[in-house]
């Protein structure tokens, strides 16, 4: 599990984490965002490393399934790419500024 840490899972947790239980969401946050080890999380919750691993495996699977169904990250990346392409094509500084503001909002979602 340690070698499989994937920043994308932390991002998916930001988008779909509300669909997990509070317990699952927090374990994903601790492992992927805060970079705690399985042992550290297990100690914090008073459970075994295996219990933490099982929660993380199931949570990771659910997050990936939801992204496969809804494609939110893929859609946002596509919109951001299109806005960047428009920025590259325009010579109008007012339009460039407006598009950059929109791009910042999209990336902040």
């Amino acid at each position: 599990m340690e070698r499989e840490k994937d920043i994308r899972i932390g991002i998916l947790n930001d988008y779909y984490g509300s669909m997990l239980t509070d317990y699952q969401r927090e374990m994903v946050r601790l492992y992927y965002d805060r970079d705690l080890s399985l042992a550290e999380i297990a100690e914090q919750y008073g459970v075994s490393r295996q219990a933490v691993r099982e929660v993380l495996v199931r949570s990771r699977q659910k997050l990936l399934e939801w992204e496969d169904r809804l494609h939110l990250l893929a859609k946002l990346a596509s919109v951001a790419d299109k806005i960047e392409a428009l920025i590259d094509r325009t010579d109008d500084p007012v339009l460039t500024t407006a598009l950059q503001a929109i791009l910042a909002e999209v990336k902040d979602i």
Side-chain angles (χ1 to χ4, degrees):
M1 187 85 178
E2 294 289 335
R3 293 186 316 257
E4 296 177 13
K5 282 194 180 179
D6 182 350
I7 192 166
R8 187 169 154 223
I9 299 302
I11 294 169
L12 290 174
N13 194 40
D14 291 340
Y15 286 95
Y16 303 113
S18 63
M19 297 164 72
L20 297 172
T21 67
D22 291 342
Y23 185 71
Q24 291 170 319
R25 183 174 48 254
E26 182 62 13
M27 283 201 178
V28 170
R29 187 186 69 78
L30 292 172
Y31 185 74
Y32 289 99
D33 295 345
R34 301 270 318 276
D35 202 29
L36 269 63
S37 69
L38 297 176
E40 290 169 320
I41 297 169
E43 183 179 325
Q44 185 173 333
Y45 280 92
V47 297
S48 68
R49 287 178 69 249
Q50 183 62 31
V52 173
R53 185 182 181 289
E54 288 173 7
V55 168
L56 290 171
V57 167
R58 283 192 311 272
S59 299
R60 183 179 194 277
Q61 181 180 8
K62 286 181 181 182
L63 293 168
L64 290 170
E65 285 174 9
W66 289 323
E67 176 59 14
D68 285 344
R69 289 181 186 157
L70 301 174
H71 308 288
L72 290 180
L73 286 182
K75 289 175 184 176
L76 283 171
S78 175
V79 169
D81 289 345
K82 290 173 184 174
I83 294 169
E84 287 174 345
L86 289 172
I87 290 170
D88 291 342
R89 290 184 190 146
T90 186
D91 293 328
D92 183 338
V94 174
L95 182 57
T96 298
T97 301
L99 288 170
Q100 287 171 335
I102 293 169
L103 180 61
E105 286 184 38
V106 167
K107 287 184 176 183
D108 194 39
I109 293 175

